[in-house]
Amino acid sequence: MENLSVEDRFRLIEENYKLIRERIAAAAQQSGRNTEDIRFMAVTKTVDPIFINHALSLGIDLIGENKVQELQAKLDFLKPEDVEKHLIGHLQSNKASKIVPLVSMIESIDSLKIAKAVNQSAEKIGKVMDVLLEINIAAEESKTGFLPQEVLENAEAIALLPHIHVCGLMAIPPMCEDAQNSRRFFSLAHQLFIDIRSKNIDNIDMNVLSMGMSHDYYEAILEGATLVRVGSALFGARHY
Ligand SMILES: *Cc1c(COP(=O)(O)O)cnc(C)c1O
């Protein structure tokens, strides 16, 4: 990867994107869904803006970053500057006021406390912040997010915050060698999504189910993902 010229990397991103689009279409078809109902996010952490901009020139219209500071540092270099951006990494309360003006969605709301901090920051700038609730779908010690049995109760509490709009759920299953093994976790997340939607809670719209990354977006779509977050399969392996 390091030895590739910028032009070669551009071409690789183009080829990768074409392949990903084909696989998204195939997964949609296999599960009887419309390709248009599945949104694609380019995960741009550690990626140099020159390559992000090349991806945007291919028609990608949504990027995701994990860290507030990294996003801030890239903003001036992005073309178009107003490309839609989501935060997908854990957020600390003291960074809420920094991120709220910068993104159209925070996908990683993982506690009532952070929801309250985001609500407060959004109120200050007169914004209603779209959010997803992050689910720790396999109850892993190492991961943040709401446990499946805690989601509904927290969703109800968060829905009462007037400057927050709950739009759906985000989940990351345990790392599995074989993506087939992730399907039951994706299915569980989808079931939660459907259950909460069926309750018709005020200020909760279960429209976005964000799950599936480079190695398992195909399986996530089969289980109902509406948004897939893809980094390395598009840009190549990350170098930290
Ligand atoms: C890094 C990251 C991704 C993308 O990971 P890849 O395996 O490179 O596709 C997706 N979602 C989150 C939350 C991430 O941190």
Side-chain angles (χ1 to χ4, degrees):
M1 217 38 194
E2 287 95 319
N3 300 327
L4 292 182
S5 69
V6 168
E7 286 304 322
D8 284 344
R9 270 196 79 178
F10 280 177
R11 252 191 308 279
L12 202 61
I13 291 167
E14 286 163 33
E15 285 165 16
N16 288 342
Y17 187 50
K18 185 159 170 283
L19 191 77
I20 293 166
R21 276 291 173 203
E22 286 167 5
R23 288 193 75 224
I24 289 174
Q29 193 184 27
Q30 187 180 333
S31 50
R33 305 174 59 202
N34 290 323
T35 307
E36 301 77 53
D37 295 338
I38 296 146
R39 188 132 196 235
F40 179 84
M41 170 197 286
V43 175
T44 51
K45 61 182 178 218
T46 78
V47 179
D48 192 287
I50 187 176
F51 299 116
I52 302 174
N53 290 340
H54 190 67
L56 299 182
S57 78
L58 305 176
I60 292 170
D61 61 0
L62 171 62
I63 65 170
E65 282 279 349
N66 289 58
K67 295 193 178 134
V68 178
Q69 263 157 331
E70 187 173 343
L71 176 60
Q72 277 178 317
K74 283 172 181 169
L75 281 178
D76 286 344
F77 302 99
L78 296 180
K79 278 197 190 92
E81 261 175 65
D82 63 351
V83 58
E84 198 179 338
K85 297 167 275 288
H86 289 183
L87 183 76
I88 59 173
H90 175 69
L91 178 62
Q92 288 169 319
S93 300
N94 62 359
K95 304 247 175 74
S97 64
K98 291 206 169 69
I99 196 68
V100 164
L102 301 183
V103 295
S104 63
M105 185 179 275
I106 298 174
E107 298 197 9
S108 41
I109 294 293
D110 53 14
S111 68
L112 182 56
K113 177 171 177 250
I114 194 64
K116 286 179 176 167
V118 167
N119 181 66
Q120 221 170 39
S121 300
E123 182 175 11
K124 282 194 187 121
I125 61 164
K127 181 171 180 170
V128 175
M129 190 74 238
D130 283 346
V131 305
L132 304 182
L133 307 184
E134 183 175 345
I135 313 302
N136 186 353
I137 198 66
E140 291 172 273
E141 293 273 355
S142 61
K143 284 206 178 112
T144 58
F146 298 104
L147 297 172
Q149 65 271 24
E150 306 174 332
V151 187
L152 179 61
E153 185 190 336
N154 281 282
E156 285 172 334
I158 292 169
L160 297 175
L161 302 170
H163 289 270
I164 288 215
H165 175 213
V166 179
C167 301
L169 304 180
M170 187 264 257
I172 308 173
M175 200 47 202
C176 292
E177 280 293 312
D178 180 355
Q180 284 297 331
N181 295 333
S182 298
R183 286 187 64 169
R184 64 194 175 99
F185 296 110
F186 291 138
S187 170
L188 203 62
H190 186 243
Q191 197 54 55
L192 273 173
F193 179 75
I194 300 290
D195 287 348
I196 297 173
R197 182 156 68 189
S198 72
K199 299 211 177 334
N200 289 316
I201 301 163
D202 265 1
N203 195 29
I204 297 187
D205 290 303
M206 283 283 137
N207 292 328
V208 182
L209 181 56
S210 175
M211 56 187 195
M213 315 194 336
S214 288
H215 67 292
D216 58 9
Y217 65 87
Y218 192 98
E219 289 73 18
I221 293 168
L222 295 184
E223 299 296 345
T226 71
L227 194 167
V228 294
R229 308 180 308 268
V230 177
S232 47
L234 179 67
F235 293 111
R238 279 183 290 276
H239 301 285
Y240 290 94

